[in-house]
Amino acid sequence: MLRLASILYSLIGSSLAGVGVIAVLVAGFVSVNAILLAAVGGAVLGLPVAWLVARQLYQNRAH
């Protein structure tokens, strides 16, 4: 399951980091610190999301 979660993280983490950066820019925060914080926040949020998606995929595979 760790392999699947890692593959999913490469997609989910970068997507959430991109969404965070876009949200910060749309909100008008154009400082480097705000952009980096949004990118790191999205990447960190991607870890549990990827794990939950991988777990759901494995549980549904058994049925």
Side-chain angles (χ1 to χ4, degrees):
M1 187 164 93
L2 182 60
R3 189 181 325 171
L4 177 61
S6 299
I7 293 168
L8 287 171
Y9 175 72
S10 69
L11 299 170
I12 294 171
S14 60
S15 296
L16 289 177
V19 167
V21 170
I22 291 171
V24 164
L25 291 174
V26 168
F29 300 109
V30 292
S31 69
V32 174
N33 288 336
I35 294 169
L36 288 177
L37 186 61
V40 170
V44 169
L45 184 63
L47 287 169
V49 171
W51 186 260
L52 290 172
V53 170
R55 187 172 67 179
Q56 286 295 320
L57 287 172
Y58 264 97
Q59 287 177 353
N60 289 339
R61 184 179 70 132
H63 290 88

